[in-house]
Amino acid sequence: MTDQPDKLLPIANVGRIMKRILPKNAKISKEAKERMQECASEFISFVTGEASERCHKENRKTVNGDDVCRALSSLGFDNYSEVVSSYLHKFREFQMQKAIDNNKGSGSCNSVDKDGSTTGVGGVDIDPIDFGILQRGGK
């Protein structure tokens, strides 16, 4: 994959995600970031390809969140599928509440807290995805 840099995730984003998991004093080599960049990009392509095949069989052009969850499950990533399905459900509830509140003319908007969680319309909290598999500092 190294010959196709346009198909890789931005390395700065990969490094930032890696740093969130590791202890504060840990260092990450450039090579480690590059390998993780390749692996994560390949994983996304793998799951997206599976979801896309299903859409093609169903004569649909748009891959949605449910397609990604089914793809994760069919590829044997059931733990991820369950977490992503739960997050997708929370996100959809948040979007519905936001639409309802916007129709009422509330004028509220979302804010992102320092910990990355989002406080939305009506005080509804949407947390960033936490797969609970990797813990900071090996906890």
Side-chain angles (χ1 to χ4, degrees):
M1 277 190 71
T2 55
D3 59 332
Q4 300 174 348
D6 59 322
K7 295 191 182 217
L8 297 175
L9 295 170
I11 199 156
N13 294 358
V14 172
R16 208 172 299 120
I17 292 168
M18 291 173 74
K19 282 183 181 181
R20 285 177 39 194
I21 301 301
L22 297 172
K24 299 238 185 249
N25 61 348
K27 303 239 187 260
I28 306 168
S29 71
K30 182 179 177 185
E31 181 184 11
K33 289 178 192 175
E34 289 171 351
R35 294 301 79 78
M36 187 59 74
Q37 178 189 38
E38 292 171 8
C39 291
S41 298
E42 184 64 28
F43 179 76
I44 291 169
S45 295
F46 183 55
V47 174
T48 303
E50 180 73 18
S52 180
E53 279 183 36
R54 182 180 187 104
C55 288
H56 181 71
K57 288 177 184 174
E58 296 176 1
N59 294 320
R60 293 185 294 120
K61 294 181 179 180
T62 303
V63 174
N64 62 38
D66 293 319
D67 296 320
V68 172
C69 292
R70 277 187 239 125
L72 285 166
S73 185
S74 70
L75 292 169
F77 297 104
D78 294 321
N79 291 345
Y80 289 109
S81 177
E82 292 169 12
V83 173
V84 173
S85 292
S86 175
Y87 183 82
L88 184 60
H89 178 73
K90 287 180 184 179
F91 178 76
R92 288 177 176 161
E93 285 179 346
F94 171 74
Q95 291 295 94
M96 285 192 307
Q97 184 63 45
K98 182 178 171 184
I100 289 167
D101 289 349
N102 283 341
N103 286 337
K104 291 179 184 176
S106 69
S108 298
C109 61
N110 298 338
S111 65
V112 178
D113 299 334
K114 287 181 182 178
D115 66 354
S117 63
T118 303
T119 304
V121 177
V124 177
D125 290 336
I126 300 291
D127 294 323
I129 294 177
D130 178 12
F131 290 107
I133 294 170
L134 301 173
Q135 298 293 322
R136 178 181 290 277
K139 293 180 186 174

